[in-house]
């Protein structure tokens, strides 16, 4: 196939004309040397006028035109949204500058090898050359010379780098040729081969390559300028060593600079002479790129927590991270035999069975690998597996439509993963990497599911899928930075196809007429800025790239409009990019909308429609609002916003700002936790209470051992509908850019059946491990149930395990009230959150375990820690107790530090501890408080109420055993002073 380029797309024509129109023939003098560019005359007044005229034509806002300047070289900026054809525009700009002014020496600098590969492939391909030479009528050839890193030098002559030699030698007398030197930023620096002069032969009298380049007086083009801040050595190299006449920066994102100090300090984009600004809003609204449908997998439990295996020390320990939305990531180090209930109560009953070099075997029979993530649902399915399944669902939904077209579209999907060895086989690795294994298994399942549903008219698609099924390995490929040094031929072929053979990847059939089924790509975020493929319709982000990234840059790999099997760009219909993420970025769409709207210009001219819309919001008449703005000199009679008053205008009338302003986002995962010191003198007053509540107790069930009672109760649970098929569902949001701002539309997600069948014995084992009911007992109950109802094999699955465990835990909460008691275990107290194993207090603790928010100032001397930290408003109120004279000492109990066993199967830890005394000093009382941000007990969830009831029984038993403790529940409508008064009076 050939990619067919168009030469009349307005958004691209406007881009390269914006550059060419800054100059005129009078501003150039003929070059004295054949290897030089014509020389730009720095007539600052004429250049400034030309720049201003271009900016007015392209509606560059006044706050950005104020950033115009002309220094020792001319800087020009062009901002174009990702996917709109920046590489095409800067290539077209070179042809236009050559045609008008004879400029024929350009240096193109890119930040990375992937971008370099994409730029090289585009500029030197035959279809590009023919397009500009013949289709656009330039009649000119582009001679691309690519500078590569030095390879190990063989003995013999030391030759001048050939690309530099050819570039410098290129003569302006050859009027139908443009010379372009392409390089990446890492080749511009202190150890660059451009700086050495130890060559046996020079060129044009130059023995140092950079001197030859400097002498050509080049025009420099910088791609992706946000990767080239002015303080970086590569940018300084360009300025000082290449001596450019003009630097033209092309990008969707530009670096930021800080202007001013103190209260006047402002962070803004580093634009200089911005000529053209194709915003994301315009790109979406004009259908220049695909729309976006963000979707995330919803865990069956609806609880948005997940666990990630961060690292493994073979045979010793594994570090687990608990990731919760909008809270700090917590880290836990577990060894063999430890319970995952330490991480999350939903995982109570699951323990670490074994730890190997790169995996952890759990007691529920599952094996998890380094960097793998899983839900805190009871059956803890692989999070990546669920996301891959969802991505495949969307991929095939799109592919089937694209394949049924008269001119088919090859449909691609891109997966970003955390770890190369989740996909690539590591040396001496025996098992298939888990992401690759999951993907191939799910792909095979999906193809097998689709094939019977195809109609006779879809025979070719059926053949395509059968070819995929026959060789699953051939359907996918990966590119990772480590691949650049790999000697594996198969890997080299994958990289070649992804980076350099775009047309092959876009082809449905290969040169021999067979199907080219490769359409699933894996990368470790290496394929970012600069790399793209127009036919990427699904991106599954199985790893987090960090919240500081531009949301538009993240989806940029899939925003280009697609091409059909003949290479035609399709722009007359709407396409959607499926963007699959995890719940931690569920607000991705909202943040994307903020980013798009924040980049919109505050227009120069108000329309009648805008005035009417704002007047309605303000409950004013439109004519009255117009007169008001005119009187305040915010606009003139023609509704132009007065530039000198624009800032005050938008402050007073923010409704006129087009779209939303970009919100401030805090990345708590990157925020380091503060260390909080334990006041050891204060702790001495609490020590006996702390030791008492940390004693180990055993929970005993009474009258449950009667087999008929338990048998009938458990049989009743199965009758409630334990056995069920597993379904997965998603939440889907689409971006809408019609009207004056970007908005979000809720769309129907998907729900589909998942085959998670378990062998019967494995089903029994998993229920046993999570409920402690014996396997023999469970089997006896299920046999009885099977006499009443049919149990299909496919419904003996993980979902049914989860269903039963949930029903059993609910049953315990409801039916075991009053059927349990506590007895003290004859076990020594080990190290606690506040003490070492010998009972001595720790010096400091991690802030996150007592609170994520702070109260400024030094705490009262009665408080246990040197900093006030809290989570809820009620807790904050409890900390500020200076006026309560009865309190001797008090402190927040570190989160999950006291493990009181409960009937829910989860342990329990209260919130506050107080030691108080009467005015005469006679009686010392110990109070434990549980805070709940609800108005009354009826509002408490069943599981919370059950845990609190258990805690009450626990502290009663503690008092019976000789240590008096009062346990109180504090709701929203109760103050801590009331609780203390109640205890003192009792």
């Amino acid at each position: 196939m050939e990619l067919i380029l168009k030469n009349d797309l307005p958004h691209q024509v406007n881009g390269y004309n914006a550059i060419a129109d800054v100059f005129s023939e009078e501003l150039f003098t003929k070059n004295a040397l054949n290897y030089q560019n014509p020389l730009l005359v720095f007539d600052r007044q004429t250049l400034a006028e030309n720049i201003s005229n271009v900016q007015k034509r392209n509606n560059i806002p006044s706050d950005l035109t104020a950033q115009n300047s002309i220094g020792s070289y001319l800087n020009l900026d062009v901002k174009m949204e990702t996917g709109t054809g920046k590489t095409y525009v800067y290539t077209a700009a070179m042809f236009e500058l050559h045609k008008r002014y004879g400029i024929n020496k350009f240096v193109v600098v890119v930040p990375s090898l992937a971008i370099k590969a994409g730029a090289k492939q585009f500029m030197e391909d035959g279809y590009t050359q023919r397009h500009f030479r013949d289709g656009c009528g330039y009649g000119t050839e582009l001679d691309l010379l690519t500078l590569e890193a030095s390879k190990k030098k063989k003995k013999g002559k030391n030759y001048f780098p050939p690309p530099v030699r050819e570039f410098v030698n290129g003569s302006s007398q050859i009027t139908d040729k443009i010379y372009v030197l392409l390089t990446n930023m890492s080749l511009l620096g202190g150890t660059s081969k451009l700086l050495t002069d130890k060559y046996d032969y020079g060129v044009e009298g130059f023995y140092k390559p950079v001197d030859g380049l400097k002498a050509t007086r080049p025009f420099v083009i910088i791609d992706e300028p946000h990767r080239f801040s002015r303080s970086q050595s590569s940018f300084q190299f360009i300025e000082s060593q290449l001596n450019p006449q003009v630097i033209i920066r092309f990008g969707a994102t530009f670096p930021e600079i800080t202007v001013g100090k103190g209260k006047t300090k402002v962070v803004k984009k580093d634009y200089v002479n911005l000529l053209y600004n194709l915003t994301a809003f315009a790109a979406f609204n004009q259908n220049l790129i695909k729309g976006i449908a963000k979707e995330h997998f919803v865990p069956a439990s609806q609880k948005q927590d997940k666990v990630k295996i961060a690292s493994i020390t073979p045979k010793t320990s594994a570090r687990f991270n608990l990731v919760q939305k909008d809270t700090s990531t917590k880290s836990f180090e577990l060894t063999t035999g430890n319970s995952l209930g330490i991480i999350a109560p939903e995982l109570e009953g699951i323990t670490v069975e074994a730890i190997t070099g790169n995996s952890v075997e759990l007691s529920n029979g599952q094996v998890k690998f380094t960097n793998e993530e899983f839900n805190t649902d009871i059956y803890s399915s692989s999070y990546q597996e669920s996301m891959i399944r969802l991505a495949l669902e969307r991929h095939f939904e799109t592919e089937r439509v694209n394949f049924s077209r008269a001119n088919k579209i090859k449909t691609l999907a891109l997966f970003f993963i955390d770890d190369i060895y989740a996909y690539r086989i590591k040396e001496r690795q025996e098992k298939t990497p888990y992401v690759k294994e999951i993907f191939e298994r799910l792909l095979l399942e999906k193809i097998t599911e689709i094939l019977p549903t195809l109609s006779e008219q879809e025979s070719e698609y059926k053949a395509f899928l059968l070819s995929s099924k026959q060789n699953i390995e051939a359907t996918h490929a990966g590119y990772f930075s480590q691949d650049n040094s790999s000697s594996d031929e198969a890997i080299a072929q994958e990289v070649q196809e992804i980076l350099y053979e775009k047309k092959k990847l876009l082809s449905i059939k290969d040169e021999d007429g067979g199907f080219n089924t490769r359409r699933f790509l894996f990368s470790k975020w290496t394929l970012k800025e600069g790399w793209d493929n127009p036919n990427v319709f699904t991106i599954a982000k199985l790893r987090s790239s960090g919240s500081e990234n531009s949301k538009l840059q993240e989806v940029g790999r899939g925003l280009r409009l697609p091409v059909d099997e003949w290479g035609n760009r399709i722009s007359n219909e709407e396409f959607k990019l499926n963007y699959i993420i995890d719940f931690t970025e569920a607000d991705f769409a909202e943040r994307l909308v903020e980013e798009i709207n924040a980049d919109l210009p505050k227009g120069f001219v108000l329309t009648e429609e805008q005035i009417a819309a704002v007047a309605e919001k303000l409950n004013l008449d439109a004519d009255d609002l117009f007169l008001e703005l005119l009187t305040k000199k915010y606009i003139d009679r023609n509704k132009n916003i007065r530039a000198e008053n624009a800032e005050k205008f938008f402050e007073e009338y923010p409704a006129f700002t087009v779209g939303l302003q970009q919100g401030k986002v805090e990345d708590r995962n990157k925020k380091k936790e503060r260390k909080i010191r334990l006041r050891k003198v204060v702790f001495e007053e609490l020590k006996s209470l702390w030791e008492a509540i940390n004693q180990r107790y055993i929970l005993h069930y009474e009258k449950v051992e009667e087999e008929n009672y338990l048998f009938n109760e458990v049989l009743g649970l199965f009758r409630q509908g334990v056995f069920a098929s597993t379904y997965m569902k998603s939440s889907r949001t689409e971006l809408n850019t019609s009207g004056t701002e970007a908005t979000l539309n809720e769309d129907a997600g998907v729900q589909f059946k998942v085959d998670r069948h378990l062998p019967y014995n494995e089903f029994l084992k998993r229920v046993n491990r999570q409920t402690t009911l014996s396997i023999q007992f469970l089997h006896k109950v299920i046999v009885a149930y099977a006499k009443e109802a049919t149990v299909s094999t496919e419904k003996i699955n993980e979902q049914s395990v989860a269903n039963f465990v949930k029903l059993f835990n609910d049953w315990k909460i409801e039916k075991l009230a009053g059927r349990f008691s506590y007895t003290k275990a004859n076990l020594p107290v080990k190290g606690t959150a506040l003490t070492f194993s010998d009972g001595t207090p720790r010096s400091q603790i991690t802030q996150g375990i007592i609170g994520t928010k702070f109260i400024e100032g030094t705490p009262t001397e009665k408080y246990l820690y040197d900093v006030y930290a809290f989570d809820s408003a009620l807790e904050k109120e409890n900390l500020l107790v200076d006026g309560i004279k009865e309190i001797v000492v008090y402190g927040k109990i570190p989160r999950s530090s006291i493990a009181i066993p409960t009937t829910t199967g989860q342990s329990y830890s209260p919130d506050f501890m107080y030691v108080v005394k009467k005015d005469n000093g006679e009686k010392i009382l110990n109070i434990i408080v549980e805070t709940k941000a609800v108005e009354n007990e009826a509002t408490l969830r069943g599981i919370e109420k059950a845990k609190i009831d258990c805690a009450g029984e626990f502290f009663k038993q503690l008092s019976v055993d000789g240590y008096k403790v009062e346990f109180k529940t504090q709701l929203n409508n109760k103050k801590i002073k009331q609780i203390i008064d109640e205890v003192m009076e009792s």
Side-chain angles (χ1 to χ4, degrees):
M1 69 177 294
E2 285 288 338
L3 292 179
I4 299 171
L5 301 174
K6 294 185 178 181
N7 61 4
D8 58 353
L9 298 175
H11 72 283
Q12 296 179 341
V13 174
N14 292 340
Y16 63 75
N17 277 338
I19 297 163
D21 289 348
V22 166
F23 309 102
S24 61
E25 289 186 34
E26 297 75 28
L27 286 173
F28 288 97
T29 60
K30 185 170 173 29
N31 44 303
L33 301 167
N34 288 335
Y35 56 77
Q36 283 184 331
N37 267 326
L39 301 177
L40 176 64
V41 177
F42 273 74
D43 181 340
R44 284 175 164 74
Q45 182 176 346
T46 302
L47 285 168
E49 288 176 0
N50 291 351
I51 289 169
S52 179
N53 289 336
V54 171
Q55 290 177 325
K56 285 177 182 175
R57 184 178 78 206
N58 290 328
N59 295 317
I60 303 300
S62 57
D63 58 326
L64 298 183
T65 60
Q67 295 176 231
N68 292 355
S69 67
I70 300 172
S72 58
Y73 60 85
L74 181 62
N75 187 117
L76 302 175
D77 287 343
V78 172
K79 182 176 180 294
M80 294 180 68
E81 193 43 59
T82 301
T84 56
K86 295 192 303 293
T87 308
Y88 178 95
V89 172
Y90 72 63
T91 305
M94 291 189 279
F95 279 95
E96 193 67 19
L97 290 170
H98 178 264
K99 175 185 175 181
R100 296 197 201 183
Y101 316 116
I103 310 300
N104 73 334
K105 296 288 178 77
F106 295 90
V107 177
V108 177
V109 187
V110 300
S112 70
L113 291 177
I115 299 174
K116 185 178 180 181
K120 181 176 187 291
Q121 178 270 324
F122 178 81
M123 285 189 280
E124 71 179 7
D125 203 295
Y127 68 80
T128 304
Q129 296 282 359
R130 288 190 295 275
H131 169 77
F132 287 109
R133 183 188 63 229
D134 305 325
C136 298
Y138 287 113
T140 305
E141 296 282 350
L142 188 150
D143 189 1
L144 183 66
L145 306 159
T146 306
L147 188 65
E148 304 288 3
S150 298
K151 294 183 179 178
K152 192 172 181 180
K153 184 182 176 298
K154 297 178 181 178
K155 291 182 179 180
K157 298 289 186 183
N158 193 12
Y159 292 102
F160 210 82
V164 179
R165 173 184 293 278
E166 290 182 48
F167 181 80
V168 175
N169 269 335
S171 174
S172 60
Q173 291 184 331
I174 305 174
T175 58
D176 63 349
K177 186 171 282 192
I178 300 171
Y179 301 92
V180 179
L181 181 69
L182 174 64
T183 182
N184 48 294
M185 66 191 300
S186 65
L187 299 182
L188 307 179
T191 59
S192 171
K193 62 182 177 182
L194 300 178
L195 293 173
T196 183
D197 59 1
K198 297 177 181 178
Y199 294 103
D200 293 303
Y201 303 99
V203 57
E204 297 290 351
F206 301 108
Y207 282 85
K208 186 186 288 187
V210 74
D211 289 341
L213 294 175
K214 183 186 298 185
T216 66
R217 302 308 314 275
F219 276 40
V220 173
I221 291 173
I222 293 178
D223 193 3
E224 302 294 350
H226 69 288
R227 303 278 294 276
F228 292 87
S229 68
R230 296 183 188 276
S231 61
Q232 282 183 320
S233 60
S234 52
F235 193 93
Q236 292 169 359
F237 183 98
I238 293 168
E239 286 184 308
S240 61
Q241 299 290 341
L242 295 186
N243 191 25
Q245 298 188 81
V246 178
I247 294 179
I248 310 171
R249 300 187 298 171
F250 284 83
T253 309
F254 280 71
E256 292 183 337
I257 54 172
T258 302
V259 179
K261 294 182 179 179
K263 292 183 178 179
T264 64
K265 185 169 74 172
V266 177
V267 177
K268 62 181 183 179
K269 291 292 183 182
D270 175 28
Y271 297 122
V272 178
N273 304 324
L274 181 64
L275 302 176
Y276 185 57
N277 183 12
L278 180 60
T279 64
F281 186 88
F284 282 113
N285 214 29
Q286 296 172 30
N287 201 30
L288 304 178
I289 53 181
K290 295 188 188 90
I292 298 168
K294 161 249 140 185
E295 194 164 13
H296 69 277
F297 159 69
V298 181
S301 67
Q302 303 294 313
K303 188 168 183 180
Q304 296 188 334
D305 294 355
K306 64 179 179 180
V307 178
K308 177 178 180 178
I309 299 184
S311 62
I312 291 176
T313 304
K315 298 183 180 180
T316 305
S317 64
R319 182 161 294 280
F320 294 75
N321 286 344
L322 175 63
V323 183
Q324 298 171 299
K325 186 167 168 44
D326 297 332
T327 60
S328 302
T329 298
K330 304 185 188 81
S331 189
F332 304 83
E333 190 161 332
L334 272 60
T335 59
T336 304
N338 286 164
S339 170
L340 269 65
I342 297 170
I343 303 170
E346 292 83 2
L347 301 175
E348 196 77 49
I350 301 175
T351 58
V352 176
E353 291 280 296
I355 300 172
T356 63
N358 69 334
S359 66
V360 176
E361 186 177 337
L362 304 178
S363 60
N364 66 357
Q366 297 185 350
V367 177
K368 303 295 178 186
F369 297 86
T370 309
N371 285 317
E372 186 171 356
E373 297 170 342
F374 53 94
N375 311 323
T376 56
D377 288 343
I378 294 168
Y379 56 89
S380 56
S381 301
S382 165
Y383 208 94
Q384 285 96 330
E385 179 170 342
S386 298
M387 290 178 70
I388 291 171
R389 192 184 295 277
L390 177 57
L392 288 175
E393 182 77 12
R394 289 303 182 193
H395 168 83
F396 282 103
E397 176 183 270
T398 306
E399 180 176 84
R400 190 168 180 177
V401 172
N402 285 344
F403 217 93
S404 65
R405 294 168 175 268
N407 295 330
K408 299 177 182 62
I409 297 175
K410 176 82 170 288
T411 306
L412 308 183
L414 179 58
F415 295 84
F416 288 119
I417 62 175
D418 246 338
D419 179 13
I420 179 176
Y421 297 114
Y423 178 79
R424 289 257 188 262
I425 295 178
K426 198 173 187 178
E427 190 177 351
R428 294 190 297 276
Q429 182 175 324
E430 294 180 7
K431 295 183 178 179
T432 301
Y434 76 91
V435 166
K436 184 178 180 182
E437 184 276 323
I438 290 172
F439 173 77
E440 291 186 344
R441 171 170 54 81
L442 295 181
L443 177 58
L444 192 59
E445 280 180 19
K446 190 64 188 173
I447 292 174
T448 303
E449 175 192 323
I450 293 171
L451 282 170
T453 70
L454 299 178
S455 65
E456 291 182 11
Q457 290 74 29
E458 296 175 289
S459 58
E460 192 172 5
Y461 186 44
K462 184 174 184 178
F464 183 72
L465 292 186
L466 286 171
S467 180
S468 301
K469 187 175 181 180
Q470 189 174 3
N471 188 356
I472 289 289
E473 186 87 19
T475 64
H476 58 91
Y479 172 64
F480 306 88
S481 56
Q482 293 97 319
D483 292 340
N484 296 314
S485 57
S486 174
S487 59
D488 188 301
E489 289 185 15
I491 291 176
Q493 180 53 43
E494 290 180 24
V495 173
Q496 176 72 18
E497 193 169 320
I498 293 171
L499 291 187
Y500 303 104
E501 298 179 359
K502 182 182 289 187
K503 290 184 291 184
K504 183 176 179 181
L505 205 53
L506 290 169
S507 298
I508 291 173
K509 292 193 174 181
D510 57 31
E511 294 174 355
D512 299 326
F515 284 114
N516 173 15
T517 62
R518 181 163 285 166
R519 58 205 190 275
F520 303 104
L521 309 178
F522 288 80
S523 183
K524 191 183 176 184
W525 216 246
T526 310
L527 296 176
K528 41 188 176 181
E529 302 100 332
W531 182 92
D532 62 73
N533 188 295
N535 288 9
V536 170
F537 281 87
T538 299
I539 295 178
K541 188 180 171 190
L542 307 183
R543 49 96 67 217
S544 174
S545 58
S547 64
E548 297 304 319
N549 287 5
S550 159
K551 302 296 107 179
L552 280 162
Q553 285 287 354
E554 288 189 15
V555 295
R557 304 319 98 224
L559 287 183
R560 279 191 182 278
L561 292 180
V563 297
D564 63 24
E565 58 186 321
W566 307 109
N568 296 295
R569 178 176 176 268
I570 306 170
S571 58
N572 60 352
E573 59 181 291
E574 288 191 14
F575 294 95
K576 281 286 191 293
L577 169 69
N578 301 304
Y579 193 60
I580 313 297
I581 53 180
D582 71 26
F583 73 84
T584 61
E585 296 186 273
D587 62 350
F588 174 89
E590 289 82 359
R591 293 178 60 193
L592 176 61
V593 166
E594 286 180 355
E595 186 176 332
I596 292 168
N597 286 334
D599 199 33
L600 288 171
K602 300 169 184 176
F604 292 104
V605 184
L606 298 182
T607 65
E608 290 287 353
E609 291 78 13
Q610 282 178 301
I611 293 174
V614 174
E616 187 177 348
K617 286 182 182 178
L618 300 176
N619 293 319
L620 294 173
D621 179 80
D623 290 339
D624 291 342
L625 178 58
F626 171 74
L627 288 172
E628 188 177 306
L629 299 177
L630 193 64
T631 303
K632 292 180 177 179
K633 297 190 181 299
Y634 286 144
I635 60 174
D636 61 22
R637 295 180 193 178
N638 297 318
K639 304 186 186 73
N640 292 297
I641 298 171
R642 292 177 178 268
E644 66 274 17
N645 296 329
E647 191 171 338
K648 288 181 67 178
F649 166 65
F650 286 113
E651 277 182 20
E652 189 172 343
Y653 297 92
F656 278 106
T657 303
V658 183
L660 302 170
Q661 294 300 302
Q662 188 167 6
K664 295 179 181 179
V665 181
E666 182 183 271
D667 182 2
R668 286 184 173 176
N669 289 333
K670 291 184 178 179
K671 189 176 179 181
K672 291 185 178 179
E673 290 192 328
R674 291 164 61 175
K675 291 293 184 183
I676 292 181
R677 296 190 178 280
L678 190 68
R679 290 168 164 174
K680 295 184 179 180
V681 173
V682 178
F683 178 74
E684 286 301 316
E685 297 281 358
L686 274 170
K687 185 177 181 182
S688 59
L689 171 60
W690 181 253
E691 289 176 348
I693 62 179
N694 273 279
Q695 293 177 92
R696 297 294 175 226
Y697 275 70
I698 298 170
L699 178 70
H700 291 283
Y701 293 115
E702 302 165 1
K703 301 178 184 177
V704 177
E705 288 76 9
E706 301 170 13
E707 187 166 325
N708 286 339
Y709 170 78
L710 188 59
F711 180 91
N712 291 328
E713 289 291 307
V714 173
L715 180 58
L717 297 181
F718 278 103
R719 287 170 178 156
Q720 290 182 41
V722 165
F723 294 106
S725 298
T726 303
Y727 287 89
M728 177 180 166
K729 65 177 181 177
S730 69
S731 172
R732 183 177 173 92
T733 310
E734 291 193 354
L735 181 69
N736 173 40
T737 55
S738 59
T740 59
E741 65 181 27
T743 56
L744 296 174
N745 294 334
E746 290 297 324
D747 188 24
V750 294
Q751 180 167 308
F752 47 88
K753 195 172 178 180
V754 180
D755 181 13
R756 299 299 301 241
H757 168 70
L758 291 173
Y760 180 61
N761 64 331
E762 183 63 26
F763 174 85
L764 294 174
K765 286 179 185 176
R766 294 199 185 188
V767 174
N768 159 255
R769 286 166 181 161
Q770 294 174 62
T771 64
T772 68
L773 294 171
S774 74
I775 289 174
Q776 292 80 5
F777 174 80
L778 285 167
H779 173 64
K780 184 178 177 182
V781 175
I782 292 173
V783 168
Y785 175 71
K787 292 176 181 176
E788 304 174 4
T790 302
V791 181
S792 62
T793 304
E794 67 170 23
K795 292 185 179 180
I796 299 177
N797 55 32
E798 290 184 338
Q799 182 67 55
S800 298
V801 172
N803 290 344
F804 178 79
V805 173
K806 183 179 185 306
L807 286 172
F808 184 73
N809 286 336
D810 290 345
W811 171 81
K812 286 196 298 181
I813 293 167
E814 180 185 353
K815 296 293 183 71
L816 296 188
R819 289 175 173 263
F820 65 92
S821 61
Y822 290 95
T823 57
K824 188 175 179 181
N826 190 23
L827 295 170
V829 176
K830 298 181 180 179
T832 70
L834 300 182
T835 58
F836 295 106
S837 56
D838 63 357
T840 56
R842 298 179 187 271
S843 298
Q844 59 184 24
I845 62 172
T846 302
Q847 162 255 313
I849 65 172
I850 63 166
T852 57
K853 302 170 187 173
F854 298 95
I855 302 173
E856 295 304 321
T858 304
T860 172
E861 293 178 358
K862 301 176 180 180
Y863 192 56
L864 182 59
Y865 313 107
D866 68 343
V867 173
Y868 281 135
F870 64 96
D871 288 314
S872 69
L874 189 57
E875 287 185 358
K876 179 181 179 181
E877 195 175 306
N878 286 352
L879 296 176
L880 304 174
V881 296
D882 278 350
I884 306 178
K885 59 185 180 181
E886 294 91 345
I887 295 177
V888 177
V889 61
Y890 72 109
K892 184 120 175 356
I893 297 174
R895 188 180 292 118
S896 303
S897 61
I898 300 173
I900 300 172
T902 72
T903 57
T904 68
Q906 303 166 11
S907 57
Y908 171 77
S909 183
D911 295 317
F912 282 91
M913 50 187 171
Y914 296 82
V915 174
V916 299
K917 66 178 179 180
K918 292 186 176 181
D919 290 343
N920 59 12
E922 287 180 6
K923 194 174 182 182
I924 299 290
L925 297 172
N926 302 299
I927 305 174
I928 297 295
V929 175
E930 167 68 20
T931 61
K932 287 295 175 189
V934 296
E935 295 304 318
N936 52 63
E937 285 194 35
T939 316
L940 287 171
R941 292 186 302 123
I943 193 167
E944 292 298 323
K945 188 174 186 310
K947 287 160 74 172
I948 290 171
D949 290 344
C950 288
E953 291 298 320
F954 170 81
F955 287 111
K956 283 181 185 176
Q957 185 61 46
L958 201 62
S959 297
V960 169
D961 290 345
Y963 196 88
K964 178 70 174 172
V965 177
E966 294 281 348
F967 175 69
K968 298 292 181 180
T969 303
Q970 179 191 22
L971 307 180
N972 265 346
N973 55 5
K974 203 167 200 179
K975 307 298 182 186
I976 196 68
K977 172 66 172 166
Q978 290 177 259
I979 292 174
I980 290 174
D981 287 346
E982 288 173 7
V983 172
M984 300 291 279
E985 292 168 5
S986 61

